[in-house]
Each structure stands twice: as structure tokens, then as C-alpha cells.
Amino acid sequence: MTELYRAHIIDVPADPPGSGAGLRSLEDGAIAVEDGVIRACDDYAALMQRYPQAQLHDWHGSILLPGLIDIHVHFPQLPIIGSMGMPLLTWLSERTLPAEAALNSEQNARPAARRFLRSLAANGTTTALVFGSHIAAAQRTFFEEAAASGLRICSGLSLGDRELPPPLLHNADQCYRSSRALIDRWHHFNGMRYAVTPRFSVSCSEAILEVCGSLMRETEGVLFQTHINENHDEVALVKRQFPWAEDYFATYERYGLTGPGCVYAHNLHPTESECRRMAAAAVSIAHCPSSNAFLGSGSFAMQRHLDYQIPFAVASDVGGGTGFSLFKEGLAAYEMQRQRDDGVALDPAALLHLITGAAAAILGIDDQVGSLDPGKQADFVIVNPPADGTLAAVIEAASTPAQKLGALFTLAREECTALTCVGGREVYRRAT
Ligand SMILES: [Zn+2]
């Protein structure tokens, strides 16, 4: 059966080489969905003619965007969003790691997983690369709930054997065995993928990084995620811990933790040599501006990443980040670039690309998601701001699609998500 979703359609279509990314806007548009796949994206009137028997979901007056993609967000950290007044390493030891240790029971882990996944869907996020728990049972629970949620989830057990509280510490052998068991059970299950996840070099001995390299070599299609160059004290600590390494990136490079599908969060303080080697190694960066500002970690040299052709996308980094909204994160990225002498001039089309198509390409799934092109999975979000709110008034006054989208990035938050679908299946609907 064909289903038609009628709305103001906005996306950044997969651009032919050289065309430059631009907005596609269909003011009274629709997508036709069959078997979870987008068959057509066109004017509503044209699609009604083509599919007269289709079941109509009439969201006329609302905005329909491709499902949003968050490439860096921490499952255990929802409860500590908004922990103010600390730089990274203090924030970790005083608030974050104790909260992560609380997932040591099924009683705590299952509701935490459900709340986290619901928060993603409620913010229009349909695909996420999720930093997991250090506790294997909690991570197993997370995968169970992720499979039930219908969201496209990539995730993995966080690994570390030092600089962590006891419940989160595991030696290299335990890390290998727990990761292996989770990979065997969940990698490629229901469209999910596993991501090898050393927390950061600070908390990983060389034995752990070696385990990560083995897991990656052994497992086809596995992703990799970690942190790098977030904070000056962190970078200095890594230098002391790895006296042989010429820089932070070298601590990962030595163990083969590079290549497409390797996502490094932050990269605020890289050297020229690191940028050169990151580009050559085809790794990608998760740029998390609200987290960087909140923790006072620094500012992202976006122009430099463009110059070196290091791929990046915008991500929430909950709970250093200030929430799950990738619209808010886009606004934070825009504002951060406005503050820099070499800031990149980001327009609404570029911001949308950074939370959809660019993120899909980094995860290697841009042939399936990231825009509303026919043939792609029907992953989308319908944004419908409360009628009496500020955003509704601004959208009503907007005269171009870019103005509407700019207003969305600036003002749309969780309460504006009316419906989120993954593969044509509803994963969130706002209570009426
Ligand atoms: Zn992070």
C-alpha cells in the first residue's frame, strides 16, 4: 500500500558533483512511501494524481524533513545534562562517571535506555551513533531496547582500564570478551551496527587500544568511536601517559584505529600534522558545539577541517551537550563560527546538511538515509510548532524556505516534533 505524507518538504538532496549543496523545497509537497521506502518526492497535487488510492497523512502547514542523524551522543549521560561549573576532567570525575556507574543494575539500566531512546525520537533523531555504557549488562540492555525502538542505532561498549571509578574499570581481557559477545549478538541485528568504543586514550592503556584494533580487524563493517583533542588539560595528560606518541592522534593510529567509519569527537586542538594524517586516514569528526561551549573546551576550526578535507557533522554529545535537539546544536555551530575570525558562514541549508546527509555519509549509509530522494528509506520528522508559540509566528512571517529553516534551527525544540518515522514506521508521535 502507498502512503502519502503531505507537508512543506525541505531537504538537501544528494548533490551531483560540483552542484553545491542547496535546499530542495516543495511548499505543498508530499512523499510517497511504499514498504518503508520513499518512492517519490514531488508536489502534492502531482503525487495525488499518480497515487489516487494512496492513504493520505495530511500534515499540510507542517514541515517535513529527513530524519536527523546524531553521530555522537552518550547513552548513560541523560541525567547529568546541565551539570554546570566544571571543565572536562572535573566534570567527568565529579558528575559524569558516578552517574555512569549507577547503570550497574537492570532496574536502573532498562528505564535509562528507554528514556534515552525516546528522547532521540522525540527530537526527530532517527539514526544515532551512541557511546555506550562501560557495564556489559547495561550495554546489552541498551541493545535490546534499541532493537525494540525501531531507531537506527550504532553503539558499543565503552572501554577503559584506568582513570575510571571501579565499577567502570575492566581489564583488556574482559574488554575483549564482553565486546566480542556483544558484537556476535548485535552487529547487523535488525539494521543495528556495532561500534568499537574506547572512551579516550586517557582511560585506555595500550593493551585496551590493542584490543580495539583486534576487534576492528576481526569484524566486517564495524564502526569506531572515541574522543580526541577536546580540552588542553586532557591533551597534556595524554602526552604524559604516552611519552612515545608525537601527539594525541598517534595513540590511536598506532593500533590501526583509523579509516572510514571511524568517528572522533571534538578535535578542537589538533596540530597541523594531526590534521594532515586524519585526512589521509579518512577519519571523520563529530563536531559538538554546545558541549564545547558548555564545558569551556574551546572552539572548532571548521575552516581548517574544510581546508584539509576532513569530513565532519554536527552532533549533540549529551550530556556535555545541552540536549538532544540537533536544531539547537545547529544553532550552536552557527554561533560558534560567527565568533571566529576564520568562521565559516553557515546558512540553513549547510546546517541541515550537517545533521542529515553529511552525518549519513560519515556512517557510510548515505545511499539509504540523509535526504528524501526516491529509493531511500522513509526516515523523516514532521515539525509542527505549537500554534500559539513564538516559532509559529516567525514561520508565518517567513517568506522563503531558508527563512523558515533558519527559524527552525533557532527556535524548534522537542515540543515541536509532531511525528518521527523510521523506514515508514512511526517511532514517536506527540501526545495530543
Ligand atoms: Zn562525548
Side-chain angles (χ1 to χ4, degrees), residues 79-95:
I80 56 99
I81 293 172
S83 299
M84 292 184 173
M86 292 164 275
L88 176 68
L89 297 177
T90 319
W91 173 85
L92 278 170
S93 62
E94 289 194 5
R95 286 303 310 274

Side-chain angles (χ1 to χ4, degrees), residues 203-424:
S203 64
C204 295
S205 71
E206 293 180 41
I208 296 285
L209 297 171
E210 214 166 284
V211 159
C212 293
S214 302
L215 291 167
M216 289 184 57
R217 279 192 303 277
E218 288 169 11
T219 318
E220 210 207 309
V222 83
L223 298 163
F224 172 83
Q225 58 182 340
T226 192
H227 299 93
I228 196 164
N229 291 326
E230 179 173 1
N231 164 296
H232 287 301
D233 291 341
E234 170 212 20
V235 175
L237 180 52
V238 169
K239 206 172 212 107
R240 290 198 296 279
Q241 291 174 317
F242 297 84
W244 53 262
E246 68 173 291
D247 49 42
Y248 200 155
F249 188 50
T251 64
Y252 297 119
E253 263 179 320
R254 173 179 281 203
Y255 299 97
L257 310 178
T258 59
C262 292
V263 180
Y264 286 78
H266 307 303
N267 205 33
L268 302 178
H269 313 291
T271 65
E272 295 301 323
S273 167
E274 281 179 302
C275 287
R276 214 170 28 249
R277 281 151 43 221
M278 284 175 172
V283 304
S284 303
I285 303 301
H287 168 39
C288 311
S290 82
S291 168
N292 300 157
F294 187 85
L295 295 172
S297 300
S299 158
F300 182 63
M302 190 176 283
Q303 187 58 53
R304 222 166 132 209
H305 285 74
L306 289 172
D307 292 343
Y308 278 101
Q309 299 186 300
I310 303 168
F312 59 89
V314 166
S316 73
D317 194 24
V318 158
T322 56
F324 287 87
S325 171
L326 288 175
F327 296 127
K328 175 154 61 70
E329 212 58 50
L331 175 68
Y334 172 83
E335 290 171 337
M336 186 179 279
Q337 293 309 305
R338 297 286 290 175
Q339 297 292 325
R340 294 180 61 92
D341 291 339
D342 68 346
V344 175
L346 293 167
D347 62 11
L351 292 178
L352 185 59
H353 182 60
L354 285 172
I355 57 170
T356 56
I362 284 170
L363 299 181
I365 50 173
D366 48 329
D367 57 334
Q368 299 164 49
V369 296
S371 76
L372 301 168
D373 283 326
K376 289 200 177 176
Q377 294 290 312
D379 290 16
F380 59 87
V381 53
I382 291 177
V383 183
N384 172 260
D388 53 355
T390 309
L391 178 56
V394 178
I395 285 181
E396 201 185 303
S399 53
T400 67
Q403 284 176 7
K404 274 193 191 181
L405 199 55
L408 231 65
F409 275 101
T410 309
L411 290 164
R413 301 294 176 261
E414 194 166 307
E415 67 278 7
C416 298
T417 305
L419 180 72
T420 308
C421 287
V422 177

Side-chain angles (χ1 to χ4, degrees), residues 42-320:
D42 205 341
D43 288 324
Y44 166 67
L47 288 189
M48 265 313 269
Q49 224 166 36
R50 193 164 146 198
Y51 300 99
Q53 307 296 332
Q55 183 191 348
L56 176 64
H57 303 269
D58 198 340
W59 289 95
H60 190 53
S62 302
I63 295 173
L64 187 154
L65 303 171
L68 310 182
I69 301 176
D70 192 343
I71 62 165
H72 187 73
V73 55
H74 292 255
F75 151 49
Q77 292 184 12
L78 182 152
I80 56 99
I81 293 172
S83 299
M84 292 184 173
M86 292 164 275
L88 176 68
L89 297 177
T90 319
W91 173 85
L92 278 170
S93 62
E94 289 194 5
R95 286 303 310 274
T96 309
L97 297 173
E100 296 206 10
L103 295 184
N104 59 356
S105 74
E106 162 79 11
Q107 210 183 346
N108 291 347
R110 195 164 300 277
R114 286 184 185 153
R115 270 198 302 267
F116 174 87
L117 292 157
R118 185 190 179 280
S119 294
L120 290 176
N123 282 276
T125 299
T126 51
T127 297
L129 174 56
V130 178
F131 226 89
S133 172
H134 282 274
I135 299 164
Q139 187 58 22
R140 190 169 58 239
T141 300
F142 177 74
F143 275 123
E144 287 167 9
E145 292 299 328
S149 75
L151 295 169
R152 294 183 203 283
I153 297 295
C154 315
S155 185
L157 180 70
S158 281
L159 305 178
D161 62 351
R162 63 183 181 192
E163 305 282 342
L164 294 170
L168 307 183
L169 279 174
H170 300 98
N171 66 35
D173 185 49
Q174 291 167 321
C175 285
Y176 178 82
R177 281 187 286 114
S178 300
S179 302
R180 193 69 255 163
L182 288 166
I183 289 170
D184 292 343
R185 175 70 182 86
W186 298 106
H187 186 46
H188 289 321
F189 180 85
N190 253 5
M192 295 197 293
R193 277 191 293 167
Y194 196 85
V196 174
T197 308
R199 183 169 200 112
F200 58 164
S201 291
V202 169
S203 64
C204 295
S205 71
E206 293 180 41
I208 296 285
L209 297 171
E210 214 166 284
V211 159
C212 293
S214 302
L215 291 167
M216 289 184 57
R217 279 192 303 277
E218 288 169 11
T219 318
E220 210 207 309
V222 83
L223 298 163
F224 172 83
Q225 58 182 340
T226 192
H227 299 93
I228 196 164
N229 291 326
E230 179 173 1
N231 164 296
H232 287 301
D233 291 341
E234 170 212 20
V235 175
L237 180 52
V238 169
K239 206 172 212 107
R240 290 198 296 279
Q241 291 174 317
F242 297 84
W244 53 262
E246 68 173 291
D247 49 42
Y248 200 155
F249 188 50
T251 64
Y252 297 119
E253 263 179 320
R254 173 179 281 203
Y255 299 97
L257 310 178
T258 59
C262 292
V263 180
Y264 286 78
H266 307 303
N267 205 33
L268 302 178
H269 313 291
T271 65
E272 295 301 323
S273 167
E274 281 179 302
C275 287
R276 214 170 28 249
R277 281 151 43 221
M278 284 175 172
V283 304
S284 303
I285 303 301
H287 168 39
C288 311
S290 82
S291 168
N292 300 157
F294 187 85
L295 295 172
S297 300
S299 158
F300 182 63
M302 190 176 283
Q303 187 58 53
R304 222 166 132 209
H305 285 74
L306 289 172
D307 292 343
Y308 278 101
Q309 299 186 300
I310 303 168
F312 59 89
V314 166
S316 73
D317 194 24
V318 158

